[in-house]
Amino acid sequence: MKLELSRVVQGCRLGVLTGLGKSGQRSLEVPGCLLYTRCATVPHLTQDTLHTLRDLPSVTQVSVDSLAEHHEVLEEFKEGVRKFAGLHDTVLFCSLHDSANTSPTGHVTNKTVSVWGSGGRIELTVARFMAIQAAIQPDCYQSMADGETWQAGTSRKRVRKAVDRSLAHLDECLVLHQKTQELKQAEIFGVVEGGDILEERLRSARETAKRPVGGFVLDGFHSAAMDQDVRVQLIKVTSAELPQEKPRLVLGVGRPDEVISCVEAGVDLFESFFPFQVTERGCALSFNFTIDPDPETAGTSTPRVLEFNGEMPAVKKLNSNGDENAMPYEMNLKDKRYQDDFRPLVEGCSCYCCKKHMRAYVHHLLVTNELLGGVLLMLHNMAHYLGFFKALRDAIASDRLQDFKNRVLHCRVGD
């Protein structure tokens, strides 16, 4: 696996992550996102339905917390979760936690971390963690780490201990990685911890970079955990300590404005849990990410994106934990105003939902709790989110990042 950068503009790294998968033939454009799943399935979508979407990420994310309960079954199956779940040809990345879930804290020790499955808490030693990885058979995975230092008010002593534990876990994981036949061709990502303490972030980054890892996971920067300005500054100084040729994946960041700020700070990869969270709220992504066409190229391609059709969407305000937010990126299709709105969710969107159905119908599905409502919304929200990342890459490539930011951020409440 190798990150080939084509340009770096205002801190943004544009390039291609090559050599992915066991064949080494797959690649992923950066900045980009992984394909989010729960128990190795994209929520609401079958594989055939999912693949009606264009330009899906080549890397699918699974998580230990959703698969740990199936460890014995996967061990007996012997062929990994890719075949077990009937996935199409994809590269698998395995994270420790599902960022769309909030888990209880306070269940870590010097030797163990805990994940939470449907049956409750599962305590993991490094040996058990690595046995689960061997059963999953991912192409890349993050090492076990103590990531419980994102809460406000975490003491310096606790943060230092988390960094020490995470480095010790990484060293143990690397030893077992070399001894595990099922992981011989896999890459391990080191986890950078440190909470909001600059010295510990730097120490974690420098020490992790000394280990033979394929990439880096930046943990503890979740949307609910940290002020955005603090997050950006910490990521900038942390990234400066990491090798340029290895990818950086940030966990827990998905909102468009936060994605842009993290890309400017040097992040390459993101999760894609955000469209799922929007879908679960009964909302549709509807923000505009189209840059006005360059006069020289106007008319040579169809606009990728999306106006508000002359109105502001019915916005559900979300807070930092995902329930209230001042960013009108979505329309709440449960709102009664859409019961007789016969337009597509977003004019010009080419997803199945927008081509075949109208807002009034999706509103009806949602208020009557029909399962099809979630399917159609998830299709649209994934298509919109992936289009946002493609437009972001195009903006960096064409030196129009500021225009792109203005377009995406112009609808911030209060602006």
Side-chain angles (χ1 to χ4, degrees):
M1 182 173 64
K2 182 180 179 183
L3 180 58
E4 299 177 357
L5 296 176
S6 56
R7 13 182 11 188
V8 178
V9 181
Q10 299 175 28
C12 304
R13 289 150 53 93
L14 183 71
V16 181
L17 189 59
T18 61
L20 297 175
K22 290 181 171 55
S23 67
Q25 301 301 307
R26 305 301 299 276
S27 62
L28 179 66
E29 291 183 285
V30 301
C33 64
L34 314 181
L35 183 65
Y36 171 78
T37 69
R38 309 192 94 176
C39 207
T41 299
V42 175
H44 299 292
L45 304 180
T46 66
Q47 280 290 307
D48 288 342
T49 305
L50 171 67
H51 282 265
T52 64
L53 296 174
R54 295 178 299 176
D55 302 320
L56 286 171
S58 60
V59 181
T60 298
Q61 180 185 10
V62 297
S63 59
V64 170
D65 56 3
S66 69
L67 295 172
E69 294 167 305
H70 308 287
H71 176 201
E72 293 181 358
V73 174
L74 288 170
E75 267 192 345
E76 185 176 345
F77 181 64
K78 292 184 172 56
E79 296 186 63
V81 76
R82 187 172 8 231
K83 188 170 183 179
F84 181 77
L87 300 177
H88 288 254
D89 181 31
T90 186
V91 179
L92 281 185
F93 177 87
C94 186
S95 58
L96 183 60
H97 299 287
D98 180 345
S99 291
N101 292 338
T102 55
S103 302
T105 59
H107 297 277
V108 294
T109 70
N110 286 335
K111 296 294 183 182
T112 66
V113 300
S114 291
V115 296
W116 299 78
S118 59
R121 184 165 74 98
I122 303 168
E123 191 171 45
L124 302 176
T125 61
V126 170
R128 187 177 183 189
F129 171 83
M130 292 299 289
I132 292 171
Q133 296 295 348
I136 293 172
Q137 296 182 23
D139 299 290
C140 335
Y141 64 98
Q142 74 163 87
S143 63
M144 197 172 92
D146 176 2
E148 292 192 5
T149 57
W150 53 265
Q151 305 98 321
T154 303
S155 69
R156 182 178 293 268
K157 180 180 178 180
R158 175 68 183 87
V159 172
R160 187 183 306 115
K161 184 176 288 187
V163 172
D164 291 339
R165 286 172 174 169
S166 297
L167 291 170
H169 294 334
L170 174 57
D171 290 337
E172 289 186 65
C173 287
L174 286 167
V175 170
L176 292 176
H177 179 93
Q178 295 299 321
K179 297 178 180 178
T180 306
Q181 185 62 38
E182 294 87 348
L183 300 174
K184 286 293 184 184
Q185 293 179 289
E187 297 272 7
I188 187 167
F189 277 48
V191 183
V192 177
E193 300 288 355
D196 59 0
I197 298 177
L198 176 60
E199 293 83 354
E200 292 303 320
R201 282 283 172 190
L202 291 173
R203 182 168 72 93
S204 180
R206 289 166 182 162
E207 290 299 319
T208 305
K210 293 177 183 177
R211 273 71 171 177
V213 296
F216 303 92
V217 169
L218 308 182
D219 194 18
F221 292 111
H222 301 70
S223 295
M226 193 174 290
D227 175 79
Q228 185 162 321
D229 291 336
V230 174
R231 179 195 299 121
V232 169
Q233 290 304 313
L234 287 173
I235 291 177
K236 279 184 178 178
V237 296
T238 299
S239 297
E241 302 296 326
L242 302 176
Q244 293 293 307
E245 72 278 7
K246 293 184 179 181
R248 306 143 184 186
L249 163 68
V250 69
L251 299 181
V253 174
R255 220 172 59 189
D257 60 312
E258 296 178 333
V259 167
I260 293 172
S261 64
C262 286
V263 167
E264 290 182 304
V267 172
D268 303 310
L269 295 171
F270 299 81
E271 303 168 288
S272 60
F273 60 87
F274 185 68
F276 167 67
Q277 291 180 324
V278 173
T279 298
E280 292 299 281
R281 293 193 282 268
C283 295
L285 289 172
S286 56
F287 63 97
N288 192 343
F289 50 79
T290 301
I291 303 173
D292 293 331
D294 193 318
E296 293 185 5
T297 58
T300 61
S301 61
T302 53
R304 282 188 303 277
V305 193
L306 321 162
E307 298 288 349
F308 286 134
N309 309 311
E311 64 175 87
M312 289 300 290
V315 175
K316 190 173 193 178
K317 292 189 177 182
L318 309 173
N319 63 22
S320 59
N321 64 17
D323 299 319
E324 246 181 302
N325 176 355
M327 305 298 270
Y329 292 124
E330 58 204 65
M331 65 175 80
N332 180 6
L333 286 165
K334 292 180 180 179
D335 194 289
K336 194 173 181 179
R337 68 189 287 191
Y338 294 112
Q339 67 180 0
D340 57 357
D341 190 333
F342 306 124
R343 294 173 296 173
L345 272 59
V346 174
E347 297 284 358
C349 179
S350 61
C351 78
Y352 175 86
C353 178
C354 289
K355 288 195 296 185
K356 300 290 186 180
H357 299 291
M358 59 189 74
R359 298 175 184 185
Y361 180 58
V362 177
H363 167 83
H364 161 73
L365 294 174
L366 293 172
V367 298
T368 55
N369 295 314
E370 289 289 344
L371 295 178
L372 181 58
V375 174
L376 294 178
L377 273 182
M378 193 67 182
L379 277 172
H380 168 75
N381 288 334
M382 280 302 304
H384 199 98
Y385 200 63
L386 295 176
F388 159 70
F389 272 98
K390 185 178 189 306
L392 172 58
R393 291 191 297 271
D394 290 347
I396 297 171
S398 60
D399 289 323
R400 302 197 67 194
L401 181 61
Q402 190 58 51
D403 292 339
F404 177 79
K405 287 173 61 178
N406 292 341
R407 176 63 77 183
V408 174
L409 304 180
H410 84 286
C411 55
R412 182 189 297 271
V413 171
D415 282 1

